[in-house]
Amino acid sequence: MAPIQTNTAHPLQRPANQEFLNSYERNQMPSVRMAANEMMYQSMAGQQMMGNPNLQQSQFVRFMNNVSTGNVLINDGQVSSSVWENRFDELEASSSKGKQEQQEQKVQEQAQKPEDDWAKAFEAEKQEQDEASDSYNKQFWERLQDEWRTLAEGEGKHPWLSEFNDFYDPFKEYKFDEENPMADVENAFEKGKAFLAQGDIPSAVLCFESAVKQDPENPEIWEQLGFAQAENEKDPNAIAAFNKALSFNPNNMPVLMALAISYTNEVLQNQALRMLIRWMKCNPKYEQLVPPEMLQAQESPVASSFMGGPKLQDVQELFIKAVQQSPTEIDADIQEALGVLFNLSSEYDKAVDCFQAVLQVRPDSSKAWNRLGASLANGNRSLEAVTAYQRALDIQPGFIRARFNVGIICVNLKAYKEAAEHLLTALNLQATSATRSGLKVNSMSQQMSSAIWTLLRMVLSLMSRQDLHTAIDNRDLEVLNREFPMSND
């Protein structure tokens, strides 16, 4: 979470720069549109079945009615107003006709002028054309803004997207490693926990995947798999594993908190807020603080349509009340949740205060040190962030996410060679886990994080080493390790 810029809500644990987020959005939008279309059809079908007049008044249904009547069009995932398009066509036609008439008049006038005035006439004509073009562009954008403003006032701020985003989750299915060298290992779960204690996160992941295939109804394995994947810089799989664990025990507070953080990393703010509300409701000490209407808004997409999803400020105030309930006591879980919330609102100095409070209670928590570093980095306090990340790595040398974060800090400081070395260290840790376990496997590319490869490619571009892009594409660590020899730290 060490961004190049800080004017947007950034992931809590993972560094976020604009290129990285743009890449994420490009990769995710096709699946978002597909899921949105499915949800729209389901909502319309539900309306017909229920015959509920209140549901017919929801913003989502009004939006879909406009689509069906042609007042609103969706082309390639973009919303447009057919009314605006018709007016634009009229404006364009009118402008073209006016330009043609002006051109004909110019020809007649030019024929009457002496030949020695041609240069002056040309300049005058060019100026008038520029002025006409500027006027046309101004009218075009004014009309565009007026029509979008009217559409927004009539239908709300893209209500179908708002309702969809409240409940959309693109990571429902866990994606197992296709080539798992631990597939036939006995007592895989216990061995996975042993690897995790040793700081060998990739090997722990492989063991947990093997164990959960052998015992898919064991919530503890899903939980440990989720925690391991979160530290392995693979939040999509962590989210899927955590949700599976919650399907067995919906009130698992550590999983709810971890899931909120992973959703934050994947820029799914509404889902993160929902998990934090659920976490507080499951806590006997604070459950009475959660307003009934906040719980009701979480029940279903229909309730969300009427009441809206959770608001960041409301959830922040909820957790601040929890702090005020015991002002002389530091509740590390509450402080951690507030740290997440202040990162979402880009109030990074406040997030730093929260994670520093957590560390007063849990001084040996590598996760807390990493999150402190992330908050410092998002607040443009890169040098302080390096110290926090290093502390996390001192406690847990195999912490892939912290190593990745240090790489981002180096990018921010324009120390590209050092960034490449840290990223390669993380990739090597992921790739060689099977070798360290005494197992042979043909390829470990599936165990290496695509996010790390993407960032490494960007770093090589910044170093003008496009000649190494082929090695990136081929996931060829051998070539890259020769180019960036590293010590065994």
Side-chain angles (χ1 to χ4, degrees):
M1 192 183 67
I4 301 299
Q5 61 174 16
T6 58
N7 57 349
T8 57
H10 300 302
L12 176 62
Q13 296 192 94
R14 178 190 306 151
N17 52 61
Q18 193 59 50
E19 289 188 38
F20 187 85
L21 287 180
N22 289 342
S23 174
Y24 169 82
E25 291 170 358
R26 287 195 300 270
N27 292 334
Q28 295 300 324
M29 281 310 296
S31 61
V32 169
R33 288 195 293 268
M34 185 182 303
N37 288 334
E38 180 182 350
M39 181 175 178
M40 286 188 287
Y41 288 126
Q42 291 175 350
S43 179
M44 294 299 292
Q47 178 191 6
Q48 294 172 358
M49 293 173 60
M50 295 169 63
N52 188 336
N54 292 329
L55 182 60
Q56 296 175 7
Q57 302 302 316
S58 76
Q59 293 178 334
F60 176 82
V61 175
R62 291 203 307 273
F63 177 84
M64 293 305 301
N65 286 336
N66 278 332
V67 173
S68 64
T69 57
N71 291 331
V72 174
L73 304 176
I74 303 176
N75 296 317
D76 296 328
Q78 301 297 319
V79 180
S80 61
S81 167
S82 59
V83 177
W84 170 79
E85 288 179 346
N86 292 335
R87 293 184 183 177
F88 169 71
D89 292 339
E90 294 173 1
L91 177 62
E92 185 178 37
S94 175
S95 176
S96 299
K97 181 178 180 182
K99 287 183 178 179
Q100 184 177 0
E101 292 176 352
Q102 291 176 3
Q103 193 69 21
E104 293 175 355
Q105 183 178 359
K106 285 294 179 184
V107 172
Q108 295 176 359
E109 292 177 355
Q110 290 299 322
Q112 298 174 1
K113 290 185 178 181
E115 291 183 0
D116 57 357
D117 288 341
W118 68 269
K120 182 177 180 181
F122 174 79
E123 290 295 333
E125 180 180 2
K126 183 176 183 300
Q127 181 178 355
E128 290 184 11
Q129 288 178 344
D130 290 341
E131 291 175 353
S133 178
D134 290 341
S135 176
Y136 172 77
N137 289 336
K138 183 177 180 181
Q139 292 177 30
F140 168 78
W141 288 112
E142 286 178 350
R143 177 69 67 186
L144 174 65
Q145 293 173 355
D146 288 343
E147 292 298 336
W148 270 107
R149 188 179 300 111
T150 300
L151 182 63
E153 290 174 354
E155 301 295 339
K157 296 183 178 179
H158 305 293
W160 65 277
L161 280 176
S162 176
E163 295 172 17
F164 163 70
N165 284 337
D166 283 344
F167 290 88
Y168 170 64
D169 190 342
F171 310 120
K172 291 183 178 180
E173 297 297 327
Y174 187 92
K175 296 182 179 179
F176 288 92
D177 192 332
E178 296 177 359
E179 185 179 357
N180 187 345
M182 307 288 191
D184 299 323
V185 171
E186 296 182 0
N187 300 319
F189 186 38
E190 295 302 321
K191 289 185 177 180
K193 290 191 287 186
F195 280 126
L196 199 61
Q198 297 168 13
D200 189 348
I201 298 172
S203 293
V205 167
L206 292 173
C207 285
F208 292 149
E209 286 190 353
S210 175
V212 84
K213 280 190 171 183
Q214 298 171 20
D215 187 7
E217 300 301 310
N218 189 324
E220 186 182 359
I221 302 177
W222 284 110
E223 177 179 342
Q224 290 301 316
L225 179 57
F227 284 123
Q229 287 288 33
E231 295 184 20
N232 199 35
E233 190 52 38
K234 289 192 173 184
D235 279 301
N237 265 355
I239 290 171
F242 285 141
N243 275 316
K244 188 66 175 179
L246 286 179
S247 69
F248 298 102
N249 179 12
N251 298 329
N252 189 324
M253 293 176 59
V255 169
L256 287 169
M257 182 64 72
L259 190 52
I261 292 171
S262 287
Y263 276 137
T264 301
N265 289 342
E266 292 302 313
V267 204
L268 294 169
Q269 175 175 302
N270 288 339
Q271 289 81 347
L273 295 177
R274 288 166 55 81
M275 292 304 108
L276 290 174
I277 294 171
R278 285 179 59 182
W279 180 92
M280 180 167 282
K281 186 60 182 176
C282 292
N283 192 321
K285 187 176 180 180
Y286 306 112
E287 61 178 337
Q288 77 281 358
L289 297 176
V290 183
E293 60 271 16
M294 188 174 288
L295 290 175
Q296 184 179 356
Q298 289 205 112
E299 294 298 327
S300 68
V302 174
S304 178
S305 175
F306 294 124
M307 307 180 65
K311 302 297 187 295
L312 176 57
Q313 185 176 356
D314 293 341
V315 181
Q316 282 180 333
E317 292 176 354
L318 181 65
F319 277 83
I320 289 173
K321 288 181 181 178
V323 173
Q324 294 170 342
Q325 182 171 291
S326 304
T328 60
E329 174 188 351
I330 296 178
D331 187 322
D333 292 328
I334 290 292
Q335 292 293 337
E336 186 173 47
L338 276 172
V340 175
L341 291 165
F342 285 132
N343 269 280
L344 286 172
S345 62
S346 301
E347 297 175 272
Y348 302 117
D349 288 341
K350 293 181 180 179
V352 166
D353 292 339
C354 291
F355 288 118
Q356 286 176 336
V358 173
L359 287 166
Q360 291 184 42
V361 181
R362 302 168 181 169
D364 294 325
S365 171
S366 59
K367 294 179 182 178
W369 280 108
N370 178 64
R371 291 163 189 167
L372 172 62
S375 303
L376 287 165
N378 263 351
N380 290 327
R381 297 160 66 177
S382 296
L383 295 179
E384 294 175 78
V386 170
T387 301
Y389 288 142
Q390 190 57 56
R391 186 74 182 92
L393 289 171
D394 289 341
I395 297 171
Q396 188 176 349
F399 199 165
I400 304 295
R401 169 153 283 156
R403 183 73 65 178
F404 181 48
N405 287 353
V406 175
I408 284 291
I409 288 289
C410 292
V411 173
N412 289 345
L413 297 175
K414 301 188 184 334
Y416 302 132
K417 179 177 180 295
E418 290 77 8
E421 291 174 350
H422 281 290
L423 296 174
L424 279 172
T425 297
L427 290 171
N428 277 287
L429 285 169
Q430 292 179 325
T432 61
S433 61
T435 301
R436 294 194 303 274
S437 306
L439 299 172
K440 293 182 179 180
V441 61
N442 293 329
S443 172
M444 287 296 295
S445 61
Q446 293 296 322
Q447 277 303 305
M448 292 184 281
S449 169
S450 59
I452 302 178
W453 281 111
T454 299
L455 182 59
L456 181 57
R457 184 185 183 92
M458 184 187 78
V459 170
L460 293 177
S461 297
L462 292 170
M463 297 176 69
S464 299
R465 292 301 307 271
Q466 285 81 359
D467 58 300
L468 293 176
H469 281 183
T470 300
I472 296 288
D473 296 337
N474 295 333
R475 301 294 194 260
D476 194 337
L477 278 179
E478 185 177 351
V479 171
L480 295 168
N481 287 336
R482 285 200 302 267
E483 293 292 329
F484 299 94
M486 293 167 285
S487 60
N488 297 323
D489 60 349

